[in-house]
């Protein structure tokens, strides 16, 4: 056992004395030591229940003959961090989580790990760590929140942000906003739509690193506790059979993940996280293949914010395996990939039927013949940018209008809420990329303000920052190169005509090459003064099209 390096032989007697200080018995030390990575905290609603999940995991590990030992991982609530400097500290935690988990796992020589994440950067950070460490590992998330109900309709966090925009537009009263505030987030769990947290928990299941139900069983269901116990038992089987993350997270598994990303209509943040996880697994995942996969993959689900269904509905309809089984009818999945169940993808999804064709559309009747995410290129974004096509209204799939240019998110929000943005405009927010932010803030506040002001079907938003999975509309992010790295988005001037064609995968500013060259001669990218971790992060971070990974 790997843990023998820390607990066996005369040389390790001092270490054993410290294990005994933990209260461990001879019998416990004789068993494999299983690290349980707990992301429990009291600030993230999706993490407040993880203590219960962790205890269930420990029971499962113990029942299967292991010794569970808990250590922590941090997590940021993107909703609470949104709209101020705190959002600069969201994406950057992904690498802190991966690094700190690597440190803890190797320093203490754990034989295997059970990861217990839930929200946003916490999930990909731990997947990155799992790939890097490559010891038997199972994921079990805390599960999604139930949808709220306001005036008889299901609602979620994205409705809350849009309600603020509606109040600014004078179409909603303060009392209406307060009702939303009290009702849209009714339980613990990751927010109830197909936002980033749920996207990544679902894709963890697709990758083969989580048990069936990992992405969809609601946080408040007792079934989630049973799943956690099963995860504890499953990791012991993986250890016995020496099944490790790199055996699971192969090139074919990432192809499956991108395919299901398109079918489910996941958050555009998956286009940051999947390449970063693949990088740690030694798999080259270029975002260019996203359009190729999208072209042959129908979009089967329109969960919030794209439509009126929620994670609880997807769970009742059969969950991720039901969607995978539907997509497999087209021969689009690699069915021989190994998973944490000890079985292949094909074995796992066999017989998993679609129980609700209104939630999971049959492949014969998709929402669209192409996938939920599109990668665009043009003279505005030579290296790519990303849009959640499934959340764009048909009339905005092709749009042309004047640029309204802002060098930070706050200025754009003030203009939107101040009524200075009108139908046809293209709001452009720059210097918010991985280096420029630094930290690549999410833009849920401005996208929600646009929707709340009634401009969602007539105004586009472009940024070198990124979007929450709760954003909807023609919200185009991850523009590369970013402004701070000298990208042409930094050359755009107020009133320049921007042409967007999402179906053609193009995005251009109608400015001649000669004029752009002239502008570049007199232009120096802006730099924001930062200190501490953000300063180190900016120095090391790569571009969004490379997953915003850190490199020397």
């Amino acid at each position: 056992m790997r843990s023998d390096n820390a607990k066996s032989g005369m040389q390790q007697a001092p270490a054993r004395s410290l294990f005994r200080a933990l209260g461990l018995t001879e019998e416990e030390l004789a068993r494999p030591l299983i690290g349980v990575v707990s992301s429990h905290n009291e600030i993230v609603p999706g993490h407040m229940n993880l203590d219960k999940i962790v205890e269930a995991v420990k029971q499962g590990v113990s029942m299967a003959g292991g010794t569970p030992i808990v250590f922590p991982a941090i997590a940021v609530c993107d909703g609470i961090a949104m709209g101020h400097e705190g959002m600069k500290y969201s994406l950057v935690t992904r690498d802190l989580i991966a690094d700190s988990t690597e440190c803890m796992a190797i320093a203490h020589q754990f034989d295997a790990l059970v990861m217990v994440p839930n929200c946003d950067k916490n999930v990909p950070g731990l997947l990155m760590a799992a790939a890097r460490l490559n010891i038997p590992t199972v994921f079990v998330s805390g599960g999604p929140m139930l949808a709220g109900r306001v005036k008889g309709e299901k609602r979620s966090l994205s409705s809350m942000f849009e309600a603020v925009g509606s109040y600014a537009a004078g179409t909603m009263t303060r009392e209406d906003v307060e009702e939303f505030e009290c009702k849209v987030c009714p339980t613990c769990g990751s927010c109830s739509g197909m936002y980033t947290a749920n996207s990544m928990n679902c894709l963890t299941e697709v990758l083969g690193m989580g048990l069936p139900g990992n992405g969809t069983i609601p946080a408040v269901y007792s079934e989630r506790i049973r799943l956690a116990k099963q995860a504890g038992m499953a990791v012991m089987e993986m250890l016995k059979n020496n099944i490790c993350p790199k055996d699971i997270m192969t090139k074919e598994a990432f192809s499956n993940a991108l395919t299901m990303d398109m079918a489910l209509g996941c958050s555009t943040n998956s286009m940051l996280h999947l390449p970063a996880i693949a990088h740690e697994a030694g798999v080259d995942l270029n975002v260019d293949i996203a359009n190729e996969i999208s072209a042959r993959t129908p979009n089967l689900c329109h969960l919030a914010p794209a439509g009126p269904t929620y994670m609880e509905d997807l769970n009742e309809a059969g969950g991720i395996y039901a969607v995978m089984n539907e997509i497999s009818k087209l021969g689009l999945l690699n069915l021989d990939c190994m998973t944490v169940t000890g079985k292949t993808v094909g074995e796992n999804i066999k017989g998993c039927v679609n129980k609700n064709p209104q939630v999971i559309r049959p492949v014969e009747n998709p929402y669209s013949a192409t996938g939920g995410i599109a990668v665009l290129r043009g003279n505005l974004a030579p290296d790519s940018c990303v849009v959640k096509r499934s959340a764009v209204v048909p009339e905005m799939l092709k749009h042309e209008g004047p640029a309204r240019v802002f060098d930070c998110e706050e200025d754009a929000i003030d203009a939107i809420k101040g009524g200075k943005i009108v139908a046809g405009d293209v709001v452009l927010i720059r210097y918010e990329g991985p280096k420029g932010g630094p930290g690549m803030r999410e833009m849920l506040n401005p996208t929600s303000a646009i929707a709340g002001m009634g401009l969602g079907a007539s105004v586009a938003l472009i940024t070198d920052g990124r979007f929450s999975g709760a954003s909807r509309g023609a919200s185009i992010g991850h523009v590369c190169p970013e402004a701070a790295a000298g990208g042409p988005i930094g050359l755009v001037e107020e009133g320049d005509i921007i042409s967007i064609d999402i179906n053609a995968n193009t995005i251009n500013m109608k400015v001649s090459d000669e004029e752009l060259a002239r502008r570049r001669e007199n232009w120096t990218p802006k730099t924001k003064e930062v200190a501490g971790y953000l300063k180190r992060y900016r120095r090391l971070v790569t571009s969004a099209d490379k997953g915003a990974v850190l490199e020397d």
Side-chain angles (χ1 to χ4, degrees), residues 414-425:
D414 288 344
I416 296 165
K417 291 185 177 178
K420 297 177 182 178
I421 303 301
V422 299
D425 283 349

Side-chain angles (χ1 to χ4, degrees), residues 35 51-52 110 120 156 219 250 451 545 549:
D51 55 340
K52 309 293 189 301
F110 287 108
D120 294 284
S156 62
T250 61
D545 62 314
V549 297

Side-chain angles (χ1 to χ4, degrees), residues 300-552:
L300 305 184
C301 299
H302 265 195
L303 285 87
T309 54
Y310 295 82
M311 295 306 296
E312 63 200 67
D313 302 312
L314 179 58
N315 187 63
E316 294 302 318
I320 300 306
Y321 279 12
V323 187
M324 292 179 76
N325 196 35
E326 195 70 44
I327 285 293
S328 72
K329 296 175 183 177
L330 300 176
L332 298 179
L333 294 179
N334 298 285
L335 301 180
D336 295 329
C337 294
M338 179 52 63
T339 72
V340 294
T341 66
K343 299 177 181 179
T344 64
V345 167
E347 291 172 316
N348 284 342
I349 68 175
K350 186 177 180 180
C352 295
V353 299
N354 179 0
K355 300 174 183 177
N356 190 337
Q358 276 70 52
V359 176
I360 305 171
R361 290 241 182 135
V363 291
E364 299 82 10
N365 181 36
Y367 282 102
S368 63
T370 53
I373 289 178
V375 176
L376 316 182
R377 271 192 170 81
N379 68 353
L380 183 59
D383 291 345
S384 75
C385 57
V386 179
V387 63
K388 187 172 182 175
R389 175 166 41 198
S390 60
V392 180
V393 294
E395 54 266 40
M396 287 299 291
L397 290 171
K398 190 172 184 178
H399 180 75
E400 193 171 284
R404 306 298 309 280
V405 181
F406 304 94
D407 287 344
C408 68
E409 176 189 7
E410 289 83 355
D411 290 349
I413 293 171
D414 288 344
I416 296 165
K417 291 185 177 178
K420 297 177 182 178
I421 303 301
V422 299
D425 283 349
V426 177
V427 176
L428 188 145
I429 306 175
R430 60 194 179 191
Y431 295 105
E432 292 286 7
K435 289 183 181 294
M440 203 177 185
R441 288 194 288 182
E442 286 186 345
M443 302 290 165
L444 180 55
N445 272 335
T447 59
S448 298
I450 287 170
M453 297 286 285
L455 298 170
S458 59
V459 169
L461 195 155
I462 300 170
T463 181
D464 52 9
R466 60 195 177 89
F467 294 107
S468 163
S471 290
R472 63 185 177 98
S475 304
I476 301 165
H478 307 193
V479 170
C480 294
E482 61 176 294
I489 188 174
L491 303 176
V492 180
E493 294 182 356
E494 185 81 9
D496 285 347
I497 300 300
I498 307 296
S499 177
I500 303 162
D501 191 333
I502 293 173
N503 286 333
N505 304 118
T506 61
I507 183 166
N508 290 287
M509 49 178 154
K510 292 193 166 182
V511 179
S512 69
D513 292 343
E514 293 76 16
E515 172 61 15
L516 289 176
R518 186 194 65 77
R519 291 180 188 181
R520 188 173 289 278
E521 287 178 0
N522 303 306
W523 173 69
T524 301
K526 295 181 179 181
T527 302
K528 299 172 185 174
E529 288 298 320
V530 292
Y533 182 58
L534 289 183
K535 186 174 183 178
R536 281 179 280 144
Y537 182 85
R538 182 170 63 189
R539 188 172 66 246
L540 299 174
V541 71
T542 59
S543 60
D545 62 314
K546 294 180 173 62
V549 297
L550 303 186
E551 291 183 352
D552 292 335

Side-chain angles (χ1 to χ4, degrees), residues 4 30 51 87 92 117 155 291 304:
D4 286 342
D51 55 340
M87 181 44 70
V92 304
R155 298 289 189 175
N291 285 339

Side-chain angles (χ1 to χ4, degrees), residues 76-145:
V76 164
C77 178
D78 278 22
I80 294 174
M82 197 75 66
H84 53 83
E85 67 174 348
M87 181 44 70
K88 295 182 180 182
Y89 286 86
S90 173
L91 179 62
V92 304
T93 64
R94 188 186 70 182
D95 298 273
L96 277 175
I97 291 162
D99 292 348
S100 60
T101 302
E102 173 195 349
C103 292
M104 290 293 286
I106 294 179
H108 301 103
Q109 293 291 288
F110 287 108
D111 295 299
L113 298 170
V114 180
M115 306 290 200
V116 187
N118 211 24
C119 290
D120 294 284
K121 315 313 164 294
N122 184 246
V123 182
L126 289 178
L127 282 165
M128 289 166 68
R132 191 184 299 176
L133 291 163
N134 201 36
I135 60 176
T137 303
V138 175
F139 277 67
V140 56
S141 77
M145 184 183 291

Side-chain angles (χ1 to χ4, degrees), residues 120-202:
D120 294 284
K121 315 313 164 294
N122 184 246
V123 182
L126 289 178
L127 282 165
M128 289 166 68
R132 191 184 299 176
L133 291 163
N134 201 36
I135 60 176
T137 303
V138 175
F139 277 67
V140 56
S141 77
M145 184 183 291
L146 294 179
R149 288 187 180 272
V150 181
K151 295 179 171 59
E153 294 185 6
K154 285 186 176 182
R155 298 289 189 175
S156 62
L157 183 66
S158 54
S159 306
M160 182 72 253
F161 277 89
E162 291 180 15
V164 174
S166 297
Y167 176 76
T171 59
M172 188 174 282
T173 67
R174 179 180 294 274
E175 290 73 25
D176 289 334
V177 174
E178 288 175 353
E179 183 178 5
F180 270 76
E181 182 181 331
C182 294
K183 293 181 177 179
V184 296
C185 295
T187 72
C188 62
S190 48
C191 296
S192 55
M194 188 57 83
Y195 311 148
T196 304
N198 291 326
S199 294
M200 292 312 302
N201 282 323
C202 290

